[in-house]
Amino acid sequence: MVLVAAVTSACAGPETASDQPAAQPGAGMGVRVLVRDMNLRPEGVDCAGAGPYLYLHRSAPFEVRDGGGAALARGELPSGTSVRALPEDLGVDRIPTFCQFTFSVTVPDRTGYQLVVDDAAPIDLAVNRDDPASPILVGVIP
Amino acid sequence: MNRAHWLVLVLTLLLAAACTSQPPPPPGGGQTLPGPVSGDLALRPPAADAPGAPDFTAPLTDGTPVTASQLWAQRPVVFTFLSSWCTACAEQQDALSELARTHRDRVVFLGVAGADEPDELAAYLSAHHVDYPVVVDRELTVWRDYAVREPPAVVLISRDGRLLRGWPGGLAAPALQAQLNALVFPG
């Protein structure tokens, strides 16, 4: 039994609790980030940011920070989804698209928010209160 | 020597064997490079105006350097641009891996992995049974040379290094087989 406990202890990873942002009361909020990479894809398929925005991809670590830079939430990006960039029907399958990421975070109320993905430059998130019951954080790149 | 002694001896030998065995080579490394090309490999000549493919030398997953022009000097080459986090890559990969085994030594497949982490790439290659060599394109120079902005993408190159076709967004294995029949193998 002692041996099993010792082996289990030796194999366990480092504690991660200290990596987490300080727990604070918060509310679930949707986040929508539009990457205007203008890449040719079918509409509605999984995507990552194209070209210089390739760091925005599924499983990329992100952090939501307040305006002062304090971490409020962490996670990993889901896959993006390609959305039509131009309203015209071009009559082909692969059309100019943007890549949009949609996910949820639990964050306390702050005056400003930023999204940092994989240590890249922060992306400002605006609070959209079109639906007062379900405000969302919206970012646009570039 | 009684039965218990034999049991201890066998267990000791098994443990010793387990502790001294070499770890398997990483998937996508130098051991996956193709063998000699078949002497009777018949191929369709590429179009005279097909542009030359950009050459490069880059490390495989185990650090073995590979030069693209040395591969296409002997046989056609299929580049598969991939990332472990790419869901479309994963959807196409198992069938592409099988197609690569089907054509091994006649058409060489070369993966070009970018924007990835070594452990995650190794897990992806193992999970999808990728038995062909895979370049680690750390600075994305090969991706840029081939105008790849997002994985997956597939590029087909003739034996003498001409660009035959490319497919941003990748290509399912049956469609790639059809393209090989149309562009590479004689009718």
Side-chain angles (χ1 to χ4, degrees):
Chain A
M1 185 79 87
V2 172
L3 180 64
V4 171
V7 169
T8 307
S9 170
C11 293
E15 291 291 323
T16 56
S18 61
D19 294 339
Q20 300 302 312
Q24 295 179 45
M29 289 184 85
V31 180
R32 193 172 66 213
V33 177
L34 185 67
V35 184
R36 296 189 295 187
D37 54 3
M38 195 61 95
N39 205 30
L40 295 178
R41 316 174 175 97
E43 187 179 7
V45 299
D46 283 358
C47 59
Y53 310 108
L54 200 57
Y55 67 96
L56 294 151
H57 60 74
R58 184 180 70 83
S59 79
F62 74 78
E63 196 169 86
V64 176
R65 299 177 180 170
D66 66 15
L72 303 175
R74 293 191 179 105
E76 292 186 350
L77 289 182
S79 282
T81 302
S82 58
V83 296
R84 176 179 290 270
L86 304 171
E88 293 83 5
D89 181 0
L90 302 178
V92 291
D93 289 339
R94 296 172 59 79
I95 59 174
T97 61
F98 299 145
C99 187
Q100 182 166 271
F101 294 83
T102 306
F103 53 98
S104 296
V105 292
T106 300
V107 290
D109 192 26
R110 292 288 190 272
T111 53
Y113 297 93
Q114 292 181 325
L115 177 70
V116 177
V117 178
D118 210 8
D119 294 328
I123 301 156
D124 286 332
L125 298 174
V127 183
N128 180 323
R129 299 186 191 276
D130 288 350
D131 178 357
S134 304
I136 59 171
L137 301 175
V138 177
V140 178
I141 309 167
Chain B
M1 192 175 282
N2 64 25
R3 207 167 157 181
H5 284 114
W6 275 111
L7 188 60
V8 169
L9 180 62
V10 168
L11 283 174
T12 305
L13 288 172
L14 284 173
L15 276 173
C19 290
T20 56
S21 63
Q22 295 294 315
Q31 85 286 353
T32 58
L33 285 166
V37 70
S38 166
D40 58 353
L41 181 60
L43 298 170
R44 194 185 292 266
D49 59 350
D55 193 13
F56 61 86
T57 298
L60 299 177
T61 54
D62 65 352
T64 303
V66 65
T67 298
S69 57
Q70 289 177 0
L71 296 177
W72 66 54
Q74 294 192 308
R75 68 205 102 197
V77 179
V78 173
F79 291 153
T80 65
F81 292 85
L82 59 91
S83 299
S84 66
W85 43 260
C86 161
T87 53
C89 303
E91 287 166 6
Q92 298 170 356
Q93 188 63 66
D94 287 340
L96 288 176
S97 298
E98 184 57 36
L99 189 63
R101 279 188 287 277
T102 302
H103 292 294
R104 183 169 174 78
D105 297 339
R106 290 202 307 159
V107 177
V108 62
F109 281 55
L110 182 71
V112 186
D116 223 329
E117 298 296 328
D119 290 349
E120 289 162 20
L121 176 61
Y124 173 94
L125 299 179
S126 293
H128 296 287
H129 313 291
V130 178
D131 296 335
Y132 56 83
V134 176
V135 157
V136 177
D137 190 17
R138 226 175 295 279
E139 304 299 326
L140 298 177
T141 51
V142 182
W143 282 37
R144 277 193 289 275
D145 283 349
Y146 283 84
V148 175
R149 303 186 74 226
E150 179 189 6
V154 172
V155 174
L156 176 57
I157 296 169
S158 71
R159 176 163 58 184
D160 63 350
R162 310 284 191 90
L163 277 169
L164 297 180
R165 273 206 65 177
W167 295 272
L171 193 64
L176 178 54
Q177 177 63 68
Q179 293 290 336
L180 289 169
N181 293 340
L183 299 172
V184 171
F185 299 126

